[in-house]
Amino acid sequence: MQEGYECFVENFRQRLLEVTGFEEERIYYKKKEEYPVTPGDRLFIKRREAGEIAEICALYISDLYEEYCQGAEIDELLSDVMKRLENFSKTDIAKNVKLLNDYEKIKKELFIRLVNVQRNKSDLEDAVYRILGDIAMVLYVKMGEMEHYMTSMKIKRHMIKNWNREEHEIFEEALLNTYFLSPPRIYCWEKMIFDPRYDGENFMNILADYPIRKDAIGNCLSTVRRTNGAVAVFLPGVAERLAKLFQSSFYLVFTSIHEVMIHNAATANPEDLRRVLEDTVRDTTPEEDFLTLNIYFYDRDTGLFSLYQTQEEEEY
């Protein structure tokens, strides 16, 4: 079985080289366990390069092999792949690749995602990011929409050399874009369970006095997309608004990359929050969605975020 699979991969690669006329190094194979780890083996096609930016398409080759085993001819599979590549070239993704060297044309597509620093150490090499404790705020660019999903890529440090902008200016632009791409919302668990169309509470509406929870349960903060929504607390004006509603500073409990629980500092015990976070991450958070086991703090008086530490940790 494995021998047949490997023969198919090499045969399909050679046929792609013939059809495209590309050089050998422009179509290459990577197993799923190779960095970065992915759900399946991939065949990469480097379509074009512009300076230090390359447009690369990836095919999950095991899916093609499965179709081949079920009776599909290689010529049929090749034709389908070439059509997909042609369609890709007409999407916003392909167009935006060509614009990556022009800050004015790409700036409205920049946004921020959160990742754990230690678990993404290699992935952060040459990336553009800020660090708070063990969380990295990473700069991404929205490349377009494909099959109803937003596609994106990390901005590499060498890309911003041609932008002639200060890094802090780029970050501020990206944070503001993130706000408008996916505005912050507070979600009530009971409404989420009983109403599938529930899209959260717009607590940022300054014309309404949102009844924020000040008890031990806390408030679930995310974004309207509810994907990578934990970044919501760092978006412009959000922390200030929450502190005003609380009339207090607050603690941040990141249960995953998708949401963060916000607790009133006047009533919450951070050590209790840490224990709950550890249980939640262990029992319900998928490995790929993990962000941190630390508790964070927002100081209403200074407007600053910090990593909460016990007295013993500070002395150590």
Side-chain angles (χ1 to χ4, degrees):
M1 175 78 173
Q2 185 61 27
E3 184 177 343
Y5 172 70
E6 290 173 354
C7 286
F8 169 80
V9 171
E10 184 53 31
N11 187 23
F12 196 81
R13 177 177 171 275
Q14 289 300 326
R15 293 294 305 279
L16 266 177
L17 287 167
E18 293 171 12
V19 171
T20 59
F22 289 171
E23 299 85 357
E24 286 276 339
E25 65 273 10
R26 289 179 62 182
I27 301 180
Y28 53 96
Y29 170 67
K30 279 193 175 184
K31 294 184 177 180
K32 62 182 179 181
E33 59 268 19
E34 293 184 61
Y35 177 83
V37 177
T38 55
D41 301 338
R42 292 162 298 161
L43 200 62
F44 289 89
I45 305 170
K46 187 183 289 187
R47 287 169 50 81
R48 61 175 63 91
E49 290 183 90
E52 294 179 301
I53 299 170
E55 180 185 316
I56 301 175
C57 299
L59 305 172
Y60 279 101
I61 193 70
S62 55
D63 293 343
L64 295 172
Y65 180 64
E66 185 176 336
E67 290 183 54
Y68 174 72
C69 291
Q70 292 173 357
E73 298 289 337
I74 283 190
D75 284 345
E76 181 185 347
L77 297 174
L78 276 170
S79 176
D80 181 57
V81 167
M82 295 305 293
K83 284 178 182 176
R84 279 192 272 167
L85 292 176
E86 184 181 348
N87 290 336
F88 175 82
S89 67
K90 298 175 183 177
T91 65
D92 289 339
I93 300 172
K95 294 174 185 174
N96 283 338
V97 167
K98 301 172 186 176
L99 300 178
L100 285 175
N101 285 321
D102 191 328
Y103 179 73
E104 288 302 319
K105 291 181 179 177
I106 206 71
K107 66 180 182 180
K108 292 302 180 184
E109 307 301 327
L110 299 174
F111 67 99
I112 302 296
R113 279 182 182 160
L114 307 184
V115 302
N116 178 270
V117 172
Q118 205 58 37
R119 296 195 183 191
N120 294 272
K121 201 169 185 180
S122 299
D123 209 26
L124 289 172
E125 291 180 8
D126 197 37
V128 182
Y129 58 92
R130 290 177 178 174
I131 289 181
L132 175 62
D134 62 343
I135 293 175
M137 292 182 271
V138 188
L139 182 65
Y140 277 77
V141 58
K142 178 184 174 185
M143 299 304 293
E145 304 276 345
M146 281 192 74
E147 298 178 357
H148 310 296
Y149 290 98
M150 184 179 82
T151 59
S152 62
M153 63 176 283
K154 280 189 291 293
I155 291 293
K156 298 293 186 177
R157 193 160 294 279
H158 67 262
M159 294 180 186
I160 68 173
K161 289 180 181 177
N162 299 325
W163 289 357
N164 297 319
R165 294 289 190 283
E166 295 293 331
E167 196 169 302
H168 71 85
E169 179 186 347
I170 296 170
F171 250 87
E172 294 309 311
E173 181 85 42
L175 284 168
L176 188 60
N177 290 344
T178 310
Y179 187 107
F180 290 113
L181 280 170
S182 193
R185 293 289 186 269
I186 284 177
Y187 288 88
C188 303
W189 295 113
E190 56 272 22
K191 291 186 181 180
M192 290 177 68
I193 293 171
F194 296 108
D195 184 359
R197 296 174 297 177
Y198 175 59
D199 57 2
E201 310 293 331
N202 184 13
F203 67 98
M204 293 297 291
N205 181 5
I206 60 174
L207 299 179
D209 189 18
Y210 177 75
I212 199 163
R213 298 188 73 146
K214 299 181 180 181
D215 56 13
I217 294 176
N219 304 267
C220 179
L221 176 66
S222 187
T223 63
V224 293
R225 286 182 181 264
R226 287 163 59 178
T227 300
N228 295 296
V231 70
V233 71
F234 299 119
L235 300 182
V238 172
E240 294 89 339
R241 174 65 172 164
L242 290 169
K244 183 176 181 180
L245 291 171
F246 275 131
Q247 289 297 300
S248 169
S249 301
F250 57 84
Y251 292 108
L252 297 77
V253 183
F254 293 94
T255 49
S256 81
I257 59 174
H258 302 303
E259 71 284 317
V260 53
M261 296 300 297
I262 305 298
H263 295 267
N264 187 359
T267 57
N269 182 321
E271 291 307 310
D272 290 342
L273 296 178
R274 193 197 297 265
R275 284 189 287 272
V276 172
L277 175 60
E278 290 173 353
D279 291 342
T280 301
V281 168
R282 183 187 64 243
D283 297 337
T284 66
T285 304
E287 187 71 18
E288 63 272 19
D289 293 344
F290 171 79
L291 186 57
T292 180
L293 287 175
N294 287 307
I295 304 300
Y296 285 77
F297 179 73
Y298 176 78
D299 190 314
R300 185 190 182 195
D301 296 327
T302 64
L304 298 176
F305 293 95
S306 62
L307 180 67
Y308 169 77
Q309 292 180 300
T310 64
Q311 187 173 353
E312 291 80 5
E313 289 171 330
E314 291 172 350
E315 291 174 353
Y316 179 79

